[in-house]
Amino acid sequence: QVYLRESGGGSAQSGGPWRLSCVASGNTDSLYFMGWFRQAPGKEREEVAQMSRDGRATYVESVKGRFIILRDNDKHTVDLQMHNVKPEDAAMYYCAAALGEYYSGGYPAESDYNYWGVGTRVIVSS
């Protein structure tokens, strides 16, 4: 079993930076991919960024060049460093972890993720 705990939610200033953190506990050696997803009110949950244990990362197009996913395998953490936060970034952000190493297309889909945190909310104020 793996437990994920997010932190860092709050009110971000539009155009400014914000950082979310997630720490995994439990059987963390089994984790290969860790990622961040988000769900805005009235919208479906979407992938934001994910990173493999060996450092390969992918981002949703809307955050490329603004967000950076940072993973520390020794500390079992994955952070989401956000820059130039926009109103459309306001959402509930979820940390997730996947056990498998190989997926079609190279990265797991949302449905492939095995463990999820309870989420942390980011509000964007102008």
Side-chain angles (χ1 to χ4, degrees):
Q1 183 65 33
V2 173
Y3 303 91
L4 302 173
R5 186 177 76 249
E6 305 98 338
S7 62
S11 182
Q13 191 77 17
S14 181
W18 199 257
R19 186 167 178 135
L20 302 178
S21 296
C22 173
V23 59
S25 60
N27 189 15
T28 55
D29 289 342
S30 63
L31 301 178
Y32 197 83
F33 280 91
M34 295 186 75
W36 286 94
F37 291 76
R38 68 185 180 187
Q39 186 169 21
K43 295 187 177 181
E44 294 187 355
R45 188 163 59 187
E46 66 171 352
E47 173 201 333
V48 178
Q50 53 181 321
M51 179 175 276
S52 65
R53 186 185 295 167
D54 60 0
R56 291 178 290 120
T58 184
Y59 299 85
V60 69
E61 192 65 34
S62 61
V63 307
K64 285 181 179 178
R66 299 189 299 120
F67 291 11
I68 301 172
I69 186 168
L70 303 161
R71 181 172 177 175
D72 187 323
N73 292 326
D74 293 332
K75 296 181 179 179
H76 313 299
T77 61
V78 62
D79 289 2
L80 187 67
Q81 178 65 56
M82 307 159 70
H83 296 283
N84 188 20
V85 173
K86 299 179 178 182
E88 52 263 40
D89 295 322
M92 182 72 84
Y93 282 75
Y94 298 91
C95 176
L99 300 173
E101 180 176 353
Y102 300 106
Y103 299 91
S104 174
Y107 292 90
E110 180 179 337
S111 58
D112 294 319
Y113 274 82
N114 306 99
Y115 302 104
W116 293 83
V118 298
T120 188
R121 185 172 297 281
V122 175
I123 299 169
V124 180
S125 58
S126 57

